[in-house]
Amino acid sequence: MASVRRRRLRRIRILLPLLAAVFLAASTTAGATTTSAAVVEVPYFGTNPGNLRMFQYVPDGLAEGRPVVVALHGCTQNATGYGSAAGWIELADMWRFSVVLPEQRSTNNANNCFNWFASSDTTRGKGEVASVISMLDHTLAATRGDASRVYVTGLSAGGGMTSALLATYPDRFAGGGVVAGLPYRCASALYEAYTCMYVGKNLSPSAWGDLVRAASSHKGPWPTVSVWHGTADSTVSVANQRELVEQWTNVHGTDATADHTDTVGGHSRAVYEDTEGRPVVQTVTLTGMGHGQPVDPGTGEGQCGRAAPYLLDVDVCAAWHLGRWWGLG
């Protein structure tokens, strides 16, 4: 009997440390799963004349006074997928800002495109642009964010809506990023949209600028604008990049001749300065890239995003470079 008791005691002494280790590992794992933020829908955010859905990402423990980025998806996409795949969610965690992710409804547009071409949705105080501003106001109030550091960006139809927001609410945005998008009021109805997309509309810089100046009573200062486009884009012609440059350099009171040129990931970048030497417009032209948002999956410096339909792995992450252009990171 004594030998049996000794064998039992030895087994207990061996099992106790193993049980403690298992318990500790389980506790650590459980704790780790309760700290990550998520993209969430905000059902009620204020007036919504454009009948859009609002999604939002706020990193855990975000301090007051942080910037806000509004990110607009392209056609056939949704808010959460675009925000994650484009890299904005991981950058929000890294650089500490909140993200507003508007989402189109199929009842508004069968392809889930923002209606960048409809005057009813691209006029200050009306339609989809007014809905996005309601979302922005809700996020600024909820996070006590910095209203002077608000930025907007979008892909394709989201890029066209980015142009519309910059034009109709230039007082609300410090900067914008148009990816494979179009100038403001290139079209004001659906029948004009396809010409703008596939061919482009050639107006004078002053005519383009007048369209922005007529969109609000704002007299400046104006948001900075970064324009990204692939040379092999067969959905939205790269000619729109040049017209965007002419529109926004004219608004800033300068010409459409680049003051500096260099490269980003081997692709051409041009910078346009105002009369006081401040960079106000830039372009990044991606040689051989089709229609989509540039991403560069990975964890290294300058990398972000993941490949998906219309999110193209070209070894350059547009979101990262836009964030740096805006001073977020």
Side-chain angles (χ1 to χ4, degrees):
M1 289 293 293
S3 62
V4 171
R5 283 196 297 270
R6 283 195 295 271
R7 285 196 297 270
R8 287 176 178 172
L9 287 171
R10 282 198 298 269
R11 283 199 294 269
I12 291 170
R13 284 195 294 267
I14 291 169
L15 286 171
L16 279 175
L18 292 175
L19 289 169
V22 169
F23 178 79
L24 179 61
S27 300
T28 303
T29 302
T33 60
T34 60
T35 60
S36 59
V39 175
V40 297
E41 183 168 9
V42 180
Y44 307 106
F45 53 85
T47 58
N48 187 17
N51 190 34
L52 301 178
R53 297 175 71 185
M54 176 185 176
F55 291 81
Q56 174 184 266
Y57 182 77
V58 180
D60 286 337
L62 185 69
E64 295 180 10
R66 299 304 300 159
V68 180
V69 171
V70 178
L72 297 146
H73 64 79
C75 298
T76 74
Q77 297 176 324
N78 60 48
T80 302
Y82 175 70
S84 298
W88 287 114
I89 302 305
E90 62 189 279
L91 291 175
D93 283 328
M94 183 187 306
W95 291 338
R96 312 303 292 167
F97 58 85
S98 58
V99 187
V100 177
L101 296 160
E103 184 173 289
Q104 184 59 285
R105 296 179 188 268
S106 59
T107 52
N108 296 338
N109 186 293
N111 292 318
N112 278 11
C113 307
F114 290 106
N115 290 312
W116 61 270
F117 49 81
S119 58
S120 58
D121 283 307
T122 59
T123 298
R124 186 177 175 111
K126 297 182 179 181
E128 292 177 12
V129 292
S131 291
V132 174
I133 294 302
S134 288
M135 297 178 198
L136 172 60
D137 287 339
H138 181 279
T139 298
L140 284 170
T143 65
R144 298 187 179 181
D146 185 349
S148 70
R149 298 181 69 195
V150 175
Y151 307 90
V152 59
T153 183
L155 165 65
S156 190
M161 191 55 72
T162 294
S163 294
L165 284 159
L166 292 171
T168 54
Y169 291 92
D171 51 318
R172 303 302 308 274
F173 298 100
V178 180
V179 184
L182 308 102
Y184 177 63
R185 284 290 159 87
C186 184
S188 56
L190 179 59
Y191 72 90
E192 297 178 311
Y194 296 108
T195 299
C196 289
M197 289 169 58
Y198 299 137
V199 180
K201 181 183 287 187
N202 185 17
L203 299 181
S204 68
S206 60
W208 280 124
D210 286 346
L211 290 169
V212 172
R213 286 183 285 270
S216 76
S217 60
H218 187 65
K219 303 301 180 184
W222 300 94
T224 63
V225 181
S226 181
V227 187
W228 292 65
H229 218 116
T231 61
D233 191 333
S234 59
T235 301
V236 177
S237 171
V238 70
N240 286 286
Q241 184 184 55
R242 180 64 186 175
E243 303 307 307
L244 275 159
V245 168
E246 292 183 356
Q247 184 165 66
W248 284 100
T249 53
N250 184 263
V251 168
H252 279 280
T254 188
D255 59 44
T257 301
D259 294 285
H260 302 287
T261 58
D262 56 18
T263 59
V264 172
H267 300 282
S268 175
R269 183 176 80 115
V271 179
Y272 303 79
E273 298 177 346
D274 65 11
T275 55
E276 296 182 8
R278 294 173 298 197
V280 291
V281 176
Q282 75 164 356
T283 61
V284 179
T285 308
L286 295 109
T287 303
M289 191 184 82
H291 186 64
Q293 172 110 5
V295 296
D296 184 14
T299 58
E301 177 75 6
Q303 291 186 295
C304 65
R306 67 173 186 271
Y310 305 111
L311 290 124
L312 309 178
D313 183 356
V314 292
D315 297 327
V316 178
C317 187
W320 190 91
H321 289 280
L322 284 170
R324 292 298 296 267
W325 167 257
W326 296 330
L328 298 180

